[in-house]
Amino acid sequence: MRGRAGRAAAGRATQHAAFAHAVQGLCAGRSAGGYAIGPQHIVAKADQIRPQFALSSFAQLAAQIVLDDPDYSRQLIAATIHLRDRLSDALRARDLVVMPSHTNFVCIAYRDAASSEAIHRQLLSDGIAVHRPPHPAVRHLLRVTAQPQALSAKVMAALAEG
């Protein structure tokens, strides 16, 4: 494909691959390999960060088992999408602004950075971790991973306090 349609299709394929890796616990493609071919200066730069992404042989075996069972992957992806949709619906039912998502998390947009910070601090003090992006342009967002605990009354109440 060429042009805008080709870029859009490639973008969707990348999103699906990233989503599948996240759902399977294989984030960042770390299980995808361990070598690179390219100009020496680029490979040398990549080698500087490689140790932090290294996988043990046990983690590689676990990744291989997951990747060898496409039915498990499909079931896990379907369950995650269902959970993400339930989470989005529950948050919207509390009049929160939930951004569209095609990933394993949802983003809630609060009226300002101070609101999201207060909620984030309260959740952390209760032992609940959600992500608050560090960039100033998106400090009003909280990112909540689609997992059963996110639907608990305690988490829902805290997220709705904004």
Side-chain angles (χ1 to χ4, degrees), residues 2 5 45 51 54 96 114 146:
R2 292 185 158 197
K45 195 67 167 168
L96 293 170

Side-chain angles (χ1 to χ4, degrees), residues 60-150:
Q60 290 176 24
L61 177 62
Q64 188 64 49
I65 290 168
V66 168
L67 293 172
D68 284 345
D69 188 353
D71 289 334
Y72 173 76
S73 295
R74 280 190 285 277
Q75 291 170 4
L76 191 57
I77 290 169
T80 301
I81 290 169
H82 177 72
L83 188 56
R84 180 198 64 214
D85 292 345
R86 283 183 53 210
L87 178 59
S88 294
D89 291 345
L91 293 166
R92 285 187 186 105
R94 287 163 175 78
D95 294 323
L96 293 170
V97 177
V98 180
M99 300 175 73
S101 176
H102 296 282
T103 64
N104 65 326
F105 60 84
V106 299
C107 283
I108 305 164
Y110 291 96
R111 67 181 172 274
D112 54 40
S115 298
S116 69
E117 181 179 13
I119 292 168
H120 188 233
R121 286 181 188 268
Q122 181 58 49
L123 287 165
L124 288 174
S125 71
D126 291 340
I128 300 165
V130 298
H131 179 70
R132 185 164 177 249
H135 193 279
V138 290
R139 296 290 288 166
H140 65 292
L141 300 177
L142 288 180
R143 188 182 92 179
V144 182
T145 302
Q147 59 173 316
Q149 298 87 338

